[in-house]
Amino acid sequence: MTPSEGWPVTTDTSWLEQALDAALLGPEADPNPRVGAVILDAEGQVAGVGHHRGAGTVHAEVDALRQAGPRAAGGTAYITLEPCAHHGRTAPCADALQAAGIARVVYAVADPTPEAGGGGVKLQHSGLEVEQVHLPAAEELVEHWALAVRLQRPWVTVKMASTLDGRIAAADGSSAWITSPEARADGHKLRAISGAIMVGTGTIAADNPSLTARYDDGDLLERQPLRVVVGQRPLTGDFKVVNEDAPTRHFQTHDVAAVLRDLFGNGIRRVLVEGGPILIAALWQAGLVDEVVNYIAPALLGDGPSAISGLDIDSMDGIARLDLVDVQRIGPDVRLTSRPRSAHAPTSTESRSG
């Protein structure tokens, strides 16, 4: 990994990027963020490299300190996220760093949570040298989790698959398959990194999806996201979501904000919404959409339903514009990733094309 463009190349930056590489080994779909740590001994040699493996496991700092052992004394800790300062499932990492005799701590991203933040200040008051070195890639790594803990609801990604003229199905309701196998495989990667997949009862009735994350050969992934169905219509045993392939929750309500609060309280930090038009419109109108991923096939239908309806936009004065942040070709299709222009959405620095 190379130093991020626009930031000075320093030894601290290089070590933080090694910590970032370690953080990437952690699970994405987890209540806790992915964090990495590198411990240097007093001579500046690597003594330990650690990462967080998910809720309930030791944090990255403790993982690295265990490897370092007594070599940590007088050394430096490089951590992608500010050390926590509270007792949760594990003891505060700030205390562990101090007890190990670490002399200097460098972290990339401040912890945004009221209960866990402040570890840097705590360590400074204990006599350690503490410095924050901003690293954009580290901020991107935890942006979904950071927004979730700040707003107390999961990051919401809306996924669409449409033709060039914006149709998600033909006039007769058939929709298999608008996009290519490559695009569908890419969509399963989105499912795999999400804590939950959400759809409305209308989508369940029309398409009867399984809402599972699968390998390219169709086998189920070991970890399955929670399947979330929203709407008053009852679920019957004929639907594929009513099986043992993955857990399912049915919220018989139209209060999408309440659904998201409940999911957050149960450890869900990222939700992938796959339909239908009414549910997506409800989330959009409530200001609860953080990202839109649209797979566009080079095809035309002319008639048929669109991915979203009921926004009550009658003229161009009310058009809902988004910022395009990523463009990728996936097989014969194109994947567009956009972010709403809202107060809480992360700011896009530039569009990227690959």
Side-chain angles (χ1 to χ4, degrees):
M1 182 178 296
T2 59
S4 303
E5 184 178 355
W7 293 89
V9 179
T10 67
T11 301
D12 286 344
T13 299
S14 299
W15 288 121
L16 281 175
E17 286 176 337
Q18 291 200 32
L20 184 62
D21 288 339
L24 292 172
L25 299 174
E28 289 192 62
D30 191 79
N32 289 350
R34 291 187 289 174
V35 182
V38 173
I39 304 294
L40 303 186
D41 62 20
E43 303 301 320
Q45 301 299 309
V46 175
V49 179
H51 70 279
H52 184 49
R53 293 168 174 79
T57 66
V58 298
H59 289 188
E61 299 93 318
V62 175
D63 188 28
L65 286 171
R66 288 179 177 177
Q67 297 176 38
R71 293 178 61 195
T76 299
Y78 291 93
I79 313 158
T80 56
L81 184 67
E82 179 184 13
C84 64
H86 82 306
H87 282 271
R89 294 188 182 184
T90 60
C93 291
D95 292 355
L97 291 165
Q98 182 182 358
I102 289 289
R104 181 170 181 254
V105 173
V106 181
Y107 65 90
V109 181
D111 194 312
T113 57
E115 67 276 7
V121 173
K122 181 177 182 180
L123 288 170
Q124 280 184 317
H125 290 167
S126 300
L128 278 72
E129 180 184 352
V130 179
E131 183 177 358
Q132 181 179 7
V133 175
H134 293 282
L135 193 67
E139 295 172 356
E140 292 175 7
L141 182 71
V142 297
E143 66 173 341
H144 306 96
W145 169 82
L147 180 138
V149 297
R150 179 163 60 87
L151 299 182
Q152 296 291 290
R153 56 96 173 154
W155 172 284
V156 175
T157 297
V158 170
K159 190 194 85 171
M160 305 175 181
S162 68
T163 59
L164 285 173
D165 53 343
R167 307 299 178 179
I168 62 169
D172 65 358
S174 60
S175 60
W177 296 100
I178 286 176
T179 54
S180 64
E182 294 92 337
R184 297 197 297 276
D186 194 70
H188 278 281
K189 294 178 183 177
L190 286 180
R191 288 183 176 183
I193 64 175
S194 301
I197 306 171
M198 180 187 292
V199 298
T201 51
T203 296
I204 295 294
D207 300 335
N208 193 18
S210 61
L211 300 183
T212 53
R214 300 185 292 275
Y215 291 106
D216 292 345
D217 62 5
D219 289 343
L220 295 175
L221 296 180
E222 288 75 14
R223 191 206 70 83
Q224 289 295 319
L226 174 70
R227 300 181 291 195
V228 176
V229 182
V230 180
Q232 299 286 357
R233 191 179 314 188
L235 298 181
T236 68
D238 296 331
F239 293 131
K240 294 178 182 177
V241 294
V242 187
N243 60 25
E244 300 301 320
D245 288 345
T248 300
R249 289 194 63 187
H250 181 198
F251 292 86
Q252 291 184 289
T253 178
H254 297 302
D255 188 343
V256 289
V259 172
L260 292 178
R261 287 194 299 270
D262 185 289
L263 293 176
F264 180 86
N266 284 279
I268 303 297
R269 299 293 179 263
R270 190 169 181 174
V271 170
L272 180 66
V273 181
E274 297 199 6
I278 296 175
L279 174 61
I280 295 173
L283 290 162
W284 181 271
Q285 291 180 318
L288 298 173
V289 175
D290 303 300
E291 184 176 64
V292 177
V293 176
N294 193 1
Y295 297 90
I296 301 178
L300 300 170
L301 279 171
D303 292 311
S306 61
I308 185 170
S309 61
L311 292 184
D312 298 327
I313 298 175
D314 299 321
S315 69
M316 289 300 295
D317 291 338
I319 190 171
R321 295 195 182 276
L322 299 86
D323 291 320
L324 183 65
V325 298
D326 187 63
V327 181
Q328 297 284 334
R329 181 165 181 168
I330 310 292
D333 306 319
V334 175
R335 185 188 69 201
L336 305 179
T337 303
S338 304
R339 303 272 175 89
R341 296 177 179 177
S342 63
H344 70 260
T347 301
S348 165
T349 55
E350 61 177 323
S351 296
R352 302 186 298 276
S353 178

